[in-house]
């Protein structure tokens, strides 16, 4: 798909910023041209002349265009400039061209747009669409769903309260899979989560409670899903990374590496207390033997995952 025809651009409201360039005549984009020297040349951004990659092509570090801070790429989102000059989110980090990296933080997005920092980093005119932040959130959310679906199709997932409870209690499911990530629907009942939280805490299984039951069900091939577990391994580590970036950018509950007791019924949205307190910590997971565990029950049929 050509970057400028990404369908996720449509249907989002404007990105609100404290200050920024005047809107383009057609009302769709801001034409962010060079600033600082009067002739389009930009010299006041510390990373303008440095390559995209810091410390080698496979190195983990990148420089944020908004803060100029060097940090892990796992905390940032990559952008590239399309041939027509429009800035395009590259959440899969696969599009050609020099990448411009931005910390996954709403404040950094506002700052980058308000101060024309993408143009300063690129030393050229850049057109930034006003729905940049919500469109990036939508792309990250879609990527999380796709990765969960991939894990399910590969047999590395179980869903349903009884199966999740058994997997967390025993530390195994299928033939040899080890639980690596506990997924809970954000709109699921608090009592079911309360029963599973101590088991997940004892096993040290991280919790993500970001998707609603329909989204989680869609990823798992069901009509709805409330409880699920993914097998430990590289794919689940990638799922954790994407949820970390999504949560930070969208202001959602962060990944909890050490789940505690679930929030009591009646608390705001019934989400697990640790999910709102623990923050995103080290989510790297060791590889595990994930040789063909039992496939998720009902993965080829549409059914409801309710207690």
């Amino acid at each position: 798909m050509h970057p400028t025809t990404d369908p996720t651009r449509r249907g989002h409201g404007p990105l609100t910023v404290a200050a920024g360039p005047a809107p383009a005549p057609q009302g769709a984009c801001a034409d962010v041209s060079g600033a600082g020297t009067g002739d389009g040349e930009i010299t006041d951004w510390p990373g303008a002349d440095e390559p995209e990659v810091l410390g080698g092509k496979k190195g983990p570090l990148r420089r944020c265009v908004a803060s100029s801070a060097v940090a892990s790429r796992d905390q940032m989102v990559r952008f590239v400039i399309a041939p027509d000059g429009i800035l395009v989110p590259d959440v899969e980090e696969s599009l050609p061209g020099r990448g411009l990296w931005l910390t996954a933080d709403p404040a950094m997005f506002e700052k980058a747009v308000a101060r024309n920092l993408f143009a300063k980093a690129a030393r050229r005119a850049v057109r930034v669409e006003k729905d940049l932040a919500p469109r990036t959130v939508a792309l990250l959310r879609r990527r999380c769903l796709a990765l969960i679906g991939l894990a399910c199709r590969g047999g590395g997932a179980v869903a349903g309260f009884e199966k999740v409870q058994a997997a967390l209690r025993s530390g195994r499911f299928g033939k040899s899979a080890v639980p690596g990530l506990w997924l809970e629907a954000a709109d699921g009942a608090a009592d079911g989560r309360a029963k599973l939280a101590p088991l997940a805490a004892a096993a040290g299984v991280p919790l993500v409670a970001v998707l609603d039951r329909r989204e989680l069900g869609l990823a798992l091939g069901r009509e709805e899903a409330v409880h699920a577990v993914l097998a430990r391994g590289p794919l689940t580590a990638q799922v954790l990374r994407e949820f970390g970036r999504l949560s930070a950018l969208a202001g959602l509950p962060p990944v909890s590496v050490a789940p505690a007791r679930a929030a009591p019924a009646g608390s705001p949205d019934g989400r697990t207390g640790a999910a709102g307190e623990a923050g995103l910590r080290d989510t790297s997971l060791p590889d595990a033997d994930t040789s063909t565990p039992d496939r998720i029950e009902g993965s080829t049929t549409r059914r409801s995952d309710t207690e």
Side-chain angles (χ1 to χ4, degrees):
M1 178 183 295
H2 191 282
T4 62
T5 61
D6 190 336
T8 59
R9 286 187 182 149
R10 300 188 294 273
H12 296 284
L15 171 64
T16 302
V17 295
Q26 67 271 32
C29 301
D31 188 356
V32 185
S33 57
T37 62
D39 58 1
E41 184 180 359
I42 302 166
T43 59
D44 57 347
W45 189 75
D49 289 323
E50 73 180 11
E52 172 186 357
V53 178
L54 303 176
K57 185 175 181 179
K58 295 184 179 181
L61 301 179
R62 299 294 185 270
R63 186 183 297 277
C64 174
V65 301
S67 66
S68 299
V70 175
S72 170
R73 62 191 292 174
D74 291 347
Q75 303 169 21
M76 299 185 183
V77 179
R78 185 178 189 260
F79 296 83
V80 296
I81 303 171
D84 58 4
I86 293 180
L87 189 71
V88 178
D90 179 24
V91 299
E92 296 186 15
E93 301 168 10
S94 61
L95 294 178
R98 179 191 169 193
L100 303 172
W101 294 79
L102 186 65
T103 301
D105 182 334
M108 293 297 101
F109 269 69
E110 292 188 1
K111 178 179 178 180
V113 173
R115 301 186 184 180
N116 303 347
L117 297 179
F118 288 108
K120 293 178 181 180
R123 288 181 171 272
R124 56 165 291 184
V126 178
R127 297 176 66 190
V128 180
E129 290 191 331
K130 293 177 173 55
D131 65 346
L132 179 66
R135 182 158 52 89
T136 304
V137 168
L139 288 169
L140 285 169
R141 201 175 193 98
R142 189 165 67 182
R143 178 156 173 76
C144 290
L145 290 170
L147 290 171
I148 293 171
L150 183 61
C152 178
R153 290 191 296 274
V158 293
F161 180 82
E162 297 296 335
K163 289 193 174 184
V164 170
Q165 183 181 50
L168 293 175
R169 178 178 289 125
S170 66
R172 294 280 175 178
F173 66 92
K175 293 182 178 179
S176 58
V178 177
L181 177 60
W182 172 32
L183 298 171
E184 283 285 309
D187 55 349
D191 56 346
R193 193 179 308 181
K195 296 175 184 177
L196 296 174
L199 300 176
V205 178
L207 166 66
V208 169
V210 168
L211 305 174
D212 62 39
R213 63 178 66 204
R214 291 188 62 84
E215 288 177 306
L216 186 56
L218 177 65
L220 296 170
R222 297 174 168 224
E223 184 176 349
E224 291 183 350
V226 177
H227 317 282
V229 163
L230 301 186
R232 184 168 57 183
L235 180 57
T236 294
Q238 183 67 22
V239 173
L240 277 166
R241 175 183 188 259
E242 301 307 331
F243 270 119
R245 298 196 299 169
L246 171 63
S247 297
L249 182 56
L252 298 169
V255 175
S256 169
V257 174
R261 289 187 304 167
S267 63
D269 70 24
R271 292 180 179 176
T272 302
E277 299 172 358
L280 180 63
R281 303 190 184 99
D282 183 7
T283 56
S284 59
L285 296 173
D287 293 348
D289 180 5
T290 56
S291 57
T292 321
D294 292 342
R295 290 185 175 273
I296 182 171
E297 180 181 336
S299 62
T300 59
T301 61
R302 302 193 66 80
R303 51 171 295 195
S304 174
D305 173 25
T306 56
E307 294 183 50

